[in-house]
């Protein structure tokens, strides 16, 4: 008798669960959504998230709020979304490089597959920069100083295993110099270290420091690309300077908990495309000095796979790979 009652309770709960899910999805969203950004306010990720949120609020009919969870190269933000209720109200802002390589430089209590991609919005522009009044006029000047002063050159970045770190580490290794890398929680802190003279150079995102570049306070010596940017025609690329394997793209997109109901995932994905197609979004990204770049889940999955193929051997070469 007791087993029959238990079975009946299970059936009733199942009916209630499945009957309420579509209704919940149809009315979604009924309250504000959160974008969990993995870096500090004022960082490149934070700025991009706020541009997405501003446009997204219009299409969701609900506010999108940016919540900063900096730390561990993005793992704290990912862990926050993964440990939250999978109802579509909390989405993760991240980059393909986090899932491909950053997560393989540390032990984390979750799997990369615990979140799934929705859409990509931006391809970042990255490079090595110095202060505007630095004596290092070219990247060769910086390398020559490092060769004459082994272990003395200090440079800032915003997390182990991300492109800003890996590309610079690989370049210095290829150049045959030993340096001191100093990680910070976000671009504002890494930039402050550079402007304050606490480091000699910074591996930075252009969009987050473009105002300082225009003001002459920061000067890029190299971009980690294979082609020059039209608005910075005098800055050489990593490919031109002889570091082709340091050309690593970074794509910023949104992800959601893997157990989110499928119709809510679809609603999120549909709105992501509307956000990207909105002229105000593209103007906002271009004002930052970054490049809009759209891609759906398959684009992001392919980018992660390609980044793994390129990045994992680099991590092993520079001694950061811990597996997973």
């Amino acid at each position: 008798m007791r087993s029959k009652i238990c079975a009946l309770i299970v059936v009733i709960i199942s009916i209630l669960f499945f009957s309420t899910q579509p209704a919940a999805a149809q009315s979604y969203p009924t309250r504000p959504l959160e974008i969990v950004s993995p870096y500090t306010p004022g960082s490149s990720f934070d700025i991009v998230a706020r541009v997405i949120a501003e446009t997204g609020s219009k299409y969701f009919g609900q506010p999108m709020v940016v919540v900063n969870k900096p730390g561990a190269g993005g793992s704290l933000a990912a862990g926050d979304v993964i440990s939250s209720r999978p109802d579509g109200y909390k989405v993760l802002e991240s980059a393909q490089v986090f899932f491909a390589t950053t997560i393989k430089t540390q032990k984390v209590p979750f799997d990369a597959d615990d979140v799934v991609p929705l859409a990509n919005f931006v391809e970042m522009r990255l490079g090595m920069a110095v202060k505007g009044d630095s004596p290092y006029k070219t990247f060769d000047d910086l390398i020559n100083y490092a060769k004459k002063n082994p272990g003395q050159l200090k440079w800032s970045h915003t997390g182990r295993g991300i492109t800003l770190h890996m590309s610079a580490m690989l370049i210095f290794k290829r150049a045959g110099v030993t340096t001191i890398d100093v990680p910070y929680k976000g671009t504002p802190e890494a930039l402050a270290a550079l402007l304050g003279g606490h480091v000699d150079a910074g591996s930075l995102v252009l969009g987050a420091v473009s105002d300082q570049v225009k003001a002459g306070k920061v000067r890029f010596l190299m971009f980690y690309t294979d082609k020059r940017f039209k608005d910075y025609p005098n800055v050489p690329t990593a490919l031109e300077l002889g570091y082709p394997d340091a050309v690593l793209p970074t794509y910023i997109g949104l992800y959601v908990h893997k157990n989110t109901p499928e119709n809510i995932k679809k609603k999120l994905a549909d709105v992501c495309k509307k956000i990207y197609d909105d002229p105000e979004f593209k103007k906002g990204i271009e004002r930052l000095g970054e490049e809009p770049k759209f891609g759906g889940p398959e684009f992001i999955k392919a980018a992660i796979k390609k980044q793994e193929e390129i990045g994992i051997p680099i991590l092993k070469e520079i001694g950061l790979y811990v597996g997973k």
Side-chain angles (χ1 to χ4, degrees), residues 55 77 109 135 172 209 211 242 288 312:
T55 310
F172 288 131
V209 301
D211 288 344
L288 298 176
I312 289 177

Side-chain angles (χ1 to χ4, degrees), residues 175-209:
V177 297
T178 55
T179 62
I180 300 174
D181 72 290
V182 187
Y184 292 90
K185 284 188 175 181
T187 303
E189 293 83 356
L191 175 62
L194 178 65
L195 296 177
H198 305 296
V199 295
D200 302 293
S203 188
L204 300 171
V205 179
L206 171 61
V209 301

Side-chain angles (χ1 to χ4, degrees), residues 223-229 237-240 244 247-248:
F223 287 120
Y224 308 144
T225 61
D226 55 4
K227 60 181 179 182
R228 294 197 182 200
F229 298 130
T237 70
L239 181 65
E240 291 173 324
V247 179
L248 301 173

Side-chain angles (χ1 to χ4, degrees), residues 112-127:
D113 294 337
D114 288 338
V115 293
V116 294
L118 292 169
N120 189 75
F121 288 92
V122 173
E123 180 174 359
M124 307 298 283
R125 301 202 288 180
L126 318 172

Side-chain angles (χ1 to χ4, degrees), residues 9-120:
I9 292 173
V10 170
V11 170
I12 292 172
I13 291 174
S14 298
I15 291 172
L16 289 173
F17 177 81
F18 286 109
S19 64
T20 56
Q21 288 301 296
Q26 286 175 3
S27 59
Y28 169 87
T30 59
R31 53 186 170 85
L33 291 82
E34 291 183 8
I35 298 179
V36 182
S37 182
Y39 291 100
T40 52
S43 66
S44 53
F45 273 73
D46 174 73
I47 298 170
V48 169
R50 293 180 190 281
V51 176
I52 294 173
E54 184 176 353
T55 310
S57 298
K58 177 170 61 177
Y59 293 106
F60 279 117
Q62 292 286 342
M64 291 191 83
V65 180
V66 177
V67 178
N68 301 93
K69 295 277 185 182
S75 291
L76 295 186
D80 180 56
V81 173
I82 290 167
S83 63
S84 298
R85 188 175 178 180
D87 56 10
Y89 283 93
K90 184 175 283 192
V91 296
L92 173 68
E93 181 196 32
S94 193
Q96 99 285 5
V97 66
F98 171 77
F99 300 99
T101 51
T102 306
I103 203 171
K104 295 176 176 64
T105 67
Q106 52 188 270
K107 295 294 185 183
V108 294
F110 55 80
D111 292 325
D113 294 337
D114 288 338
V115 293
V116 294
L118 292 169
N120 189 75

